[in-house]
Amino acid sequence: MNRFQEQIVLISGAGSGIGAATAKQLASEGATLILVGRRKEKLEEVAEEINSEMNVESAYVYSADVTIEEEVELLANYIESNFGRLDVLINNAGTSSGGPILSLEKEEWERVQTTNVTSVYLMAKYLGALMTQSDSLNKSIVNVASLSGHKAGAKIPSYSTAKAAVIHLTKSLAGELAPYQVRVNSVSPGFVETPMTEDGLKNPKFSQAIERHTLLGRVGRPEEVAKAIAFISSSDASYITGTDLLIDGGWLTV
Ligand code: NAI
């Protein structure tokens, strides 16, 4: 499949986990990638792997903190000057937890909201603006929300609140950008084995509870989320906008 041939795709938080897996998936389908994150070395590792696999330079690295407005504006300028347009934006950068409200410091609450929600707003503001000007046939934004955005977690209120906001923001953006033929969707992964969940999954009680609650009886793999992101961001999903795609192994179903 070459669904992303000649398409310019930006993935935030692309140095690890779901972001890195998505970068590899989209590269294998022909995308030109801009890998964005704070940790340049991690991004470079992913880019090197992709470029040597593809035998051509198709992944570029740009180091930025997606919660800082000036950095996001500079990122949009960099893309406009170097690539001329942006076709697909995958807002994957995020952070977890925060802890229960009664012991949660305001700074920590704000860190979780800013990283998960404000970043999506900033990226949509500056990069969405760039996308509206493009006459590309597939223009699409995918925001990585979470199962926690559907099912509130008593122990992670700041995270589940933030991810619920991402799902809602996705729908508002879909309405705003539809006149420009920019589709906007979110995906909501369940429990996926990545650096974010690594410590939790080391606890057998926790991983067994996940297996019990999940219809498919196991934790997800980043590659499984990457394939769903590839579908919903591609022209195969050309009539899908404003929706959320659960990738949770059936957790919410029964
Ligand atoms: P991860 O920790 O490997 O990936 C998060 C990435 O975002 C990291 O590379 C991190 O450096 C980057 N990032 C964080 N803050 C940033 C900032 N201010 N600027 C730029 N980059 C920043 O973990 P994972 O699991 O791959 O997470 C990816 C997304 O998937 C996150 O939005 C997460 O909330 C979401 N998610 C993950 C689930 C899981 O079970 N692993 C379940 C549901 C959603």
Side-chain angles (χ1 to χ4, degrees):
M1 279 194 292
N2 268 336
R3 290 185 293 192
F4 294 92
Q5 200 71 48
E6 293 182 12
Q7 295 206 19
I8 314 293
V9 178
L10 187 162
I11 306 177
S12 71
S16 57
I18 292 167
T22 304
K24 290 173 199 168
Q25 177 65 38
L26 269 53
S28 75
E29 297 194 38
T32 297
L33 294 162
I34 301 121
L35 309 181
V36 175
R38 291 170 305 183
R39 299 171 301 170
K40 205 168 183 201
E41 341 61 72
K42 285 276 183 195
L43 298 168
E44 277 167 353
E45 275 172 32
V46 177
E48 270 166 33
E49 198 183 320
I50 289 172
N51 292 337
S52 65
E53 180 80 17
M54 302 305 294
N55 269 328
V56 58
E57 195 175 9
S58 58
Y60 300 85
V61 164
Y62 188 97
S63 168
D65 183 326
V66 294
T67 66
I68 300 176
E69 184 162 13
E70 295 72 25
E71 295 197 14
V72 175
E73 192 173 5
L74 285 172
L75 167 62
N77 293 341
Y78 160 83
I79 291 177
E80 191 168 20
S81 344
N82 288 277
F83 300 91
R85 63 175 213 279
L86 182 67
D87 302 315
V88 175
L89 166 62
I90 297 170
N91 287 316
N92 164 75
T95 190
S96 63
S97 193
I101 295 285
L102 297 187
S103 55
L104 187 63
E105 297 298 335
K106 184 164 170 272
E107 289 70 25
E108 180 60 2
W109 167 267
E110 284 174 348
R111 184 188 71 83
V112 174
Q113 304 311 312
T114 305
T115 307
N116 290 303
V117 191
T118 309
S119 65
V120 175
Y121 145 71
L122 287 173
M123 295 289 273
K125 179 173 179 186
Y126 290 100
L127 294 150
L130 191 56
M131 293 171 80
T132 60
Q133 295 156 22
S134 157
D135 54 9
S136 166
L137 291 177
N138 182 46
K139 295 188 281 183
S140 153
I141 298 178
V142 178
N143 299 322
V144 180
S146 170
L147 170 66
S148 303
H150 294 265
K151 190 179 186 307
K155 292 185 181 155
I156 49 166
S158 53
Y159 183 70
S160 45
T161 301
K163 291 300 191 180
V166 170
I167 294 168
H168 219 69
L169 175 55
T170 298
K171 294 179 195 299
S172 299
L173 266 175
E176 184 174 341
L177 298 184
Y180 307 96
Q181 296 298 311
V182 178
R183 296 180 300 105
V184 189
N185 294 291
S186 55
V187 295
S188 284
F191 284 89
V192 182
E193 209 171 346
T194 69
M196 189 178 278
T197 52
E198 200 173 23
D199 287 344
L201 290 172
K202 280 184 191 147
N203 176 351
K205 274 193 182 159
F206 184 66
S207 52
Q208 283 158 14
I210 291 167
E211 286 161 18
R212 259 199 325 277
H213 280 291
T214 310
L215 281 187
L216 296 180
R218 63 173 176 82
V219 168
R221 295 187 292 274
E223 295 74 21
E224 293 176 302
V225 179
K227 286 190 172 137
I229 293 176
F231 161 69
I232 208 159
S233 63
S234 78
S235 57
D236 280 353
S238 54
Y239 201 52
I240 303 179
T241 195
T243 199
D244 180 76
L245 177 58
L246 268 168
I247 314 159
D248 69 342
W251 180 297
L252 269 192
T253 312
V254 287

